[in-house]
Amino acid sequence: MLAVFGKNGSGKTTLLRVLSGILKPISGEVFFDGENIFKMDSFSRSKKISYLPQFYESEVPFTVYEMVELGLYPYRKVKKDMVDSVLNLFDLKKIRNKKFTELSGGQKQKVLLARSIIKDPEILILDEPNLHLDFENTFFIFDTIVSKVKKEGKILIFVLHDINIILRFSDYLLLLKEGGEFLFTEKGKIFEKTDYLKDFINVDFEFFNFEGRNYFLIK
């Protein structure tokens, strides 16, 4: 699990768009399993990499079921049991026939997350996946996704601004700074680089440990 963290304008979303194959870099290449992702056809790449952007809106009156079902489009086939399973996983079964356009922001985000994960990608890339989600649903979603990804040995890359959630669910951190400066580290080693981190986020803070977990507190 890799968390990408940094101030607005540091290039987090741009990086995710490059890694997902949507935006081609000016220089350099992106490889997965020895294959250049920009030389894959769109269907092959979409099967391997699933990307949830920060903002998504649709005025098409698809139902929740149909929106999740769209995640299987790269395979050109739909398996009802797969859709039902993901709806259950994200606690969406009760609203399966409701129009996506009629949902709250948090409900829409859960539907989009379900659509991202249904095709069983090798890499799941999420740009602020807790957008519009309340505290309870944020932890529910991360527990659900992280458990699934770890169980299946997949890769999860996500952008968040809440460092406490990052510390709870990530294994590695990539800190980005305007101008191209970055820091890549194991999560546990971030506590050895507090001065460096303070310079990245430009606020004064301290870490503290409570019941075996490390937390971030702004002073």
Side-chain angles (χ1 to χ4, degrees):
M1 304 327 136
L2 171 65
V4 182
F5 180 71
K7 292 191 288 186
N8 293 338
S10 59
K12 301 183 300 298
T13 293
T14 298
L15 175 63
L16 296 197
R17 287 169 61 84
V18 169
L19 294 177
S20 63
I22 294 172
L23 184 65
K24 194 165 185 177
I26 296 173
S27 63
E29 302 289 352
V30 180
F31 286 84
F32 178 62
D33 274 351
E35 189 174 2
N36 188 325
I37 67 168
F38 292 100
K39 293 183 179 178
M40 297 177 185
D41 64 79
S42 59
F43 282 103
S44 297
R45 185 170 61 235
S46 184
K47 290 175 184 177
K48 292 178 179 290
I49 304 171
S50 186
Y51 170 60
L52 176 64
Q54 189 177 123
F55 299 106
Y56 177 91
E57 281 298 336
S58 173
E59 296 302 321
V60 181
F62 287 135
T63 65
V64 168
Y65 184 96
E66 290 167 338
M67 284 293 290
V68 174
E69 185 181 58
L70 282 172
L72 293 172
Y73 178 71
Y75 294 93
R76 302 297 183 91
K77 62 181 179 180
V78 174
K79 292 186 177 180
K80 183 177 180 297
D81 58 331
M82 292 177 66
V83 181
D84 289 339
S85 176
V86 172
L87 289 175
N88 285 331
L89 183 67
F90 285 89
D91 195 27
L92 295 169
K93 195 171 183 179
K94 293 178 182 177
I95 59 171
R96 59 183 289 152
N97 295 317
K98 196 169 183 179
K99 295 289 190 295
F100 180 78
T101 52
E102 298 172 353
L103 302 181
S104 69
Q107 288 174 323
K108 287 180 179 179
Q109 194 71 356
K110 289 175 74 174
V111 171
L112 295 172
L113 284 162
R115 189 178 71 175
S116 297
I117 212 168
I118 192 173
K119 59 185 175 182
D120 197 27
E122 294 296 316
I123 304 176
L124 182 61
I125 300 176
L126 308 174
D127 195 352
E128 296 193 47
N130 63 333
L131 200 65
H132 305 300
L133 295 178
D134 57 30
F135 190 76
E136 179 183 2
N137 275 309
T138 293
F139 273 82
F140 168 76
I141 288 297
F142 269 95
D143 276 331
T144 300
I145 291 176
V146 170
S147 295
K148 181 176 175 61
V149 167
K150 284 187 173 181
K151 181 180 178 181
E152 298 175 359
K154 304 300 176 61
I155 296 170
L156 173 62
I157 301 172
F158 61 91
V159 163
L160 273 189
H161 289 287
D162 189 325
I163 196 167
N164 283 317
I165 298 176
I166 288 173
L167 292 176
R168 183 181 180 95
F169 291 106
S170 67
D171 297 313
Y172 298 92
L173 278 74
L174 176 62
L175 305 179
L176 301 182
K177 194 173 182 179
E178 290 180 75
E181 187 179 350
F182 69 92
L183 170 67
F184 176 74
T185 181
E186 293 179 24
K187 176 177 66 175
K189 292 184 178 180
I190 195 65
F191 306 105
E192 303 168 7
K193 305 177 185 292
T194 53
D195 290 339
Y196 199 73
L197 181 58
K198 285 176 183 177
D199 185 50
F200 261 82
I201 63 176
N202 200 30
V203 295
D204 194 16
F205 68 90
E206 64 181 19
F207 287 114
F208 69 95
N209 186 282
F210 178 71
E211 295 185 349
R213 291 188 182 276
N214 291 302
Y215 294 91
F216 170 93
L217 177 67
I218 296 176
K219 292 183 179 180

